Amino acid sequence: MSSNIRIGCASGFWGDTAMSVPALVHGGKLDFLVFDYLSEITMSILAKAKQKSPDMGYTPDFVHSAMAPNLQAIKEKNIRVVANAGGINPHSCADALKAVAKKLNVDLKIAVITGDDLLPQLENMRNQKIKDMDSGATLPADVHSMNAYLGAGPIAKAINYGADVVITGRCVDSAVVLGPLISKFNWNFQDLDKLAMGSLAGHLLECGAQSAGGIHTDWHLIKDWHNMGFPIADCKENGEFTISKPPNTGGMVTVGTVSEQLVYEIGDPANYALPDVLCDFTNVKLTQVDENVVLVQGAKGKRPSDFYKVSATYGDGFRATAVSPVVGPRAAEKALVTAKSIIQRSENVFKRFGLDGFRRTHLEVLGAEQNYGKNSRNKDTREVVMWIAVHHDKKEAISLFSKEIAAASTGGAPGFTTLIGGRPKASPILKLFSFFYPKNKIEIKISYNGKTENYVPEVVNATSQQNQTTEPKKSHALRKGTNTYRLGDLAYTRSGDKGDTCNIGVIARHPAFLPYIEDQLTSTSVAAYFEHLFNSDKKVVERYSLPGISALNFVLRNALGGGGVASLRSDPQGKACGQMLTDFELHNMPDIKELRE
């Protein structure tokens, strides 16, 4: 098969805009429309929803907001759909979609993939003495969800059967794109370079609008945010593809926007581990071939592991966050005094009820640049936002804390204006527990056309080169000058999270800038710049190189206060870290105009 396949992604997370679907369906000339809804925390939320109602546990937005209004057009244009919208309950998701299709008189063939949900095997897992892949801890007591990251194989098989829609539970995000490519191009699992390219296409699409200009460093160049374009991969049988977006939509697709998504939420780019292939992105090449069209080449594949990654979430007490504007002279000082008084008064109340103090508290004064640590500039402002987040084992304690906050409006420093959202309610803290589990112990099932069969992953016989990290080589002597530049003048940045780890990608705006960035932006200098983020005195920062796109990737471990909903910070996923790093200064530089020539 030689014709290209066009795949558009309409969702990067549960809660993304539904306006992406009609733009892709009517303007994208698509063969496949894919949706990525799931995160570790989303799985836990869906598990709770299923406990309350056996028919729930999937993402209803997929059925009612994305598919229902567009289903007739999707069918008429012969667009096939792949979505991990099934969450904890893929069959109920399929039943809900079937009901919608019947009401609209649309003949829809739906396949369902299951097997990722390992929660029923929890006790068996305990007997196997499973250990967390990072901390070495044993399985905790209060496990809410436990899901394996499945690959693209069962998706491809379901498409081969003739399914119009494939609904999965947890799989790696990129699998919703790789599955259609394996099916339509008849790739086998020994074609590791092609699998790596297909996985890269999935990685570039999986976060929705981000490849098309969403959260781009040069945000001021983006037009029509209200009509944001979503990315399309136009893929060839040899693995090469272009990234574009539907016509008459906002955003833009450039080497810069695609580069930022490439480095988003990855670790070692030479060993990006997925169930179907171990990817090497270090020498990927991006070329602007037309307005809003970027050609992607050069990903390489190696033999994958014999294990699936499994992520479990577990309960670890309760939290609440109170947010309030504070106005007037010395606003930051007043906010901090007020916040400390609320914490102390709450713990005094706890003693009366025989409760322990808070396990953790976190106070921030937004507007005083506390997120910047020692790099802050604006410490004296007349309006700030007080942020108080607390963690306690008992829900009762959180309720008592909530009742004590409002007293500051009459019994605290002046300028406390309102409690945003009212008194905060207790919400459970969910933490992540990840481990590896043998592939041959997980039973994957494909249900289609009234039948259910097991899917057995194909054994990969291809050999792999030894995994090597990609710390850049030391540069030769660099020409010095008298100029100082912000990193943002020389590079794009993008940051994100994996649990309690933050990664920051830095992409040089011109290849000539990279040696100077490498020289001054080191693991040590980045650790010092963000020293206020780390949970302990041990600051672990790893630096990797992606010479193909003139980029570096920094991995900051234990830097997000627990990450996700376990963190009490205002930036629990490190989304702002890339932006903060743009103000890092590089000294003794020659004129960058001369370097460009």
Side-chain angles (χ1 to χ4, degrees):
M1 187 178 296
S2 59
S3 59
N4 291 12
I5 296 172
R6 290 175 62 84
I7 304 174
C9 180
S11 174
F13 61 96
W14 184 19
D16 210 341
T17 176
M19 293 305 297
S20 57
V21 181
L24 286 165
V25 168
H26 294 286
K29 299 179 181 179
L30 300 182
D31 298 294
F32 286 87
L33 178 65
V34 303
F35 297 82
D36 175 26
Y37 287 105
L38 302 181
S39 69
E40 293 83 3
I41 300 305
T42 303
M43 297 303 291
S44 184
I45 294 170
L46 294 176
K48 283 290 187 183
K50 187 178 179 182
Q51 286 178 5
K52 293 180 180 179
S53 174
D55 293 333
M56 296 306 297
Y58 62 91
T59 59
D61 297 20
F62 168 68
V63 176
H64 303 294
S65 301
M67 293 295 286
N70 303 287
L71 189 55
Q72 290 171 320
I74 289 171
K75 183 67 174 180
E76 288 170 4
K77 292 178 180 292
N78 197 30
I79 298 171
R80 300 169 83 174
V81 174
V82 181
N84 59 13
I88 297 294
N89 201 347
H91 282 290
S92 284
C93 183
D95 290 342
L97 185 57
K98 287 176 186 175
V100 168
K102 183 177 180 180
K103 186 176 181 180
L104 294 173
N105 197 28
V106 174
D107 179 23
L108 203 62
K109 300 171 183 175
I110 303 175
V112 174
I113 296 168
T114 56
D116 62 291
D117 186 3
L118 303 183
L119 195 59
Q121 302 179 36
L122 177 60
E123 293 311 312
N124 181 48
M125 297 283 191
R126 293 193 193 283
N127 295 334
Q128 296 179 51
K129 299 181 179 179
I130 297 293
K131 303 286 186 181
D132 183 86
M133 57 192 289
D134 294 320
S135 69
T138 57
L139 268 170
D142 186 21
V143 175
H144 291 195
S145 65
M146 182 184 293
N147 296 82
Y149 290 77
L150 303 184
I155 295 173
K157 183 74 74 173
I159 294 169
N160 288 345
Y161 288 157
D164 300 310
V165 178
V166 180
I167 296 174
T168 79
R170 196 59 171 119
C171 59
V172 289
D173 300 342
S174 56
V176 297
V177 172
L178 180 59
L181 295 176
I182 291 172
S183 169
K184 304 308 289 184
F185 288 135
N186 199 28
W187 290 345
N188 67 57
F189 286 87
Q190 318 304 320
D191 294 329
L192 295 177
D193 288 350
K194 291 179 179 179
L195 296 179
M197 285 298 298
S199 297
L200 178 55
H203 177 64
L204 294 178
L205 264 58
E206 69 190 36
C207 289
Q210 289 185 184
S211 278
I215 64 172
H216 182 41
T217 301
D218 291 348
W219 58 270
H220 53 284
L221 301 179
I222 303 295
K223 296 179 180 179
D224 298 328
W225 289 98
H226 67 283
N227 185 33
M228 197 66 186
F230 275 61
I232 298 168
D234 192 331
C235 307
K236 295 181 180 180
E237 193 279 336
N238 67 1
E240 294 181 1
F241 60 92
T242 60
I243 296 292
S244 62
K245 66 183 184 68
N248 304 314
T249 58
M252 64 182 185
V253 178
T254 66
V255 168
T257 66
V258 176
S259 294
E260 286 186 2
Q261 178 56 27
L262 196 159
V263 298
Y264 183 62
E265 294 184 348
I266 65 172
D268 179 358
N271 298 290
Y272 184 63
L274 296 170
D276 303 306
V277 61
L278 184 64
C279 301
D280 183 349
F281 295 155
T282 54
N283 290 302
V284 168
K285 182 181 179 182
L286 304 178
T287 307
Q288 192 84 40
V289 294
D290 203 344
E291 183 179 4
N292 292 315
V293 182
V294 171
L295 173 64
V296 184
Q297 302 166 296
K300 297 294 183 181
K302 295 177 277 192
R303 186 182 184 279
S305 165
D306 293 327
F307 297 83
Y308 285 122
K309 179 182 176 182
V310 179
S311 284
T313 58
Y314 64 97
D316 189 37
F318 299 87
R319 59 169 291 162
T321 303
V323 181
S324 173
V326 181
V327 180
R330 298 165 64 186
E333 183 182 351
K334 287 190 295 186
L336 196 57
V337 167
T338 301
K340 288 180 177 178
S341 72
I342 292 170
I343 294 296
Q344 184 61 60
R345 187 166 59 247
S346 296
E347 292 195 323
N348 289 343
V349 173
F350 292 171
K351 292 176 183 178
R352 294 172 52 196
F353 287 88
L355 296 170
D356 293 333
F358 292 111
R359 277 180 58 182
R360 290 183 298 157
T361 62
H362 183 71
L363 312 180
E364 283 186 33
V365 181
L366 304 178
E369 297 194 359
Q370 289 190 345
N371 273 306
Y372 282 81
K374 68 180 181 182
N375 308 304
S376 64
R377 299 171 183 168
N378 185 21
K379 296 182 180 180
D380 186 16
T381 180
R382 293 179 297 174
E383 55 183 19
V384 299
V385 174
M386 178 185 70
W387 175 286
I388 313 173
V390 297
H391 176 194
H392 201 283
D393 286 332
K394 302 291 186 181
K395 193 173 184 178
E396 176 189 1
I398 299 296
S399 298
L400 292 172
F401 158 75
S402 181
K403 292 176 181 178
E404 290 301 321
I405 300 168
S409 63
T410 56
F416 181 102
T417 64
T418 186
L419 193 58
I420 297 174
R423 297 180 189 269
K425 295 181 179 180
S427 59
I429 282 184
L430 303 174
K431 290 187 175 179
L432 193 61
F433 182 99
S434 298
F435 60 95
F436 294 112
Y437 198 69
K439 289 179 178 177
N440 59 13
K441 289 188 177 182
I442 293 180
E443 192 174 80
I444 302 170
K445 294 182 180 295
I446 303 173
S447 300
Y448 177 71
N449 201 24
K451 298 179 180 179
T452 297
E453 68 172 41
N454 290 339
Y455 172 82
V456 179
E458 184 177 327
V459 176
V460 180
N461 297 316
T463 57
S464 291
Q465 298 175 353
Q466 185 176 359
N467 297 350
Q468 295 180 346
T469 57
T470 53
E471 171 70 20
K473 297 177 181 178
K474 287 198 171 184
S475 303
H476 298 295
L478 299 174
R479 180 157 54 95
K480 300 295 184 181
T482 59
N483 298 288
T484 296
Y485 293 103
R486 293 172 56 253
L487 179 64
D489 297 327
L490 307 178
Y492 308 107
T493 64
R494 171 67 59 82
S495 58
D497 71 305
K498 285 294 179 187
D500 199 19
T501 294
C502 175
N503 98 285
I504 308 173
V506 178
I507 307 104
R509 293 177 182 269
H510 190 281
F513 299 164
L514 182 61
Y516 292 89
I517 296 172
E518 287 178 343
D519 182 56
Q520 298 189 45
L521 199 68
T522 64
S523 298
T524 301
S525 64
V526 169
Y529 191 82
F530 288 111
E531 64 180 4
H532 58 289
L533 296 184
F534 291 90
N535 295 337
S536 66
D537 293 335
K538 188 178 181 182
K539 304 172 183 64
V540 179
V541 177
E542 299 156 359
R543 185 177 81 163
Y544 302 99
S545 178
L546 295 87
I549 60 169
S550 300
L552 302 173
N553 187 47
F554 293 88
V555 179
L556 289 66
R557 301 198 180 277
N558 303 310
L560 296 177
V565 295
S567 177
L568 303 182
R569 299 177 185 175
S570 61
D571 184 18
Q573 296 176 299
K575 300 293 188 183
C577 290
Q579 282 289 289
M580 287 190 282
L581 194 60
T582 60
D583 283 328
F584 182 96
E585 292 186 341
L586 292 93
H587 302 282
N588 302 317
M589 290 277 296
D591 191 316
I592 59 173
K593 292 181 180 179
E594 296 177 6
L595 289 175
R596 283 183 178 273
E597 295 174 355

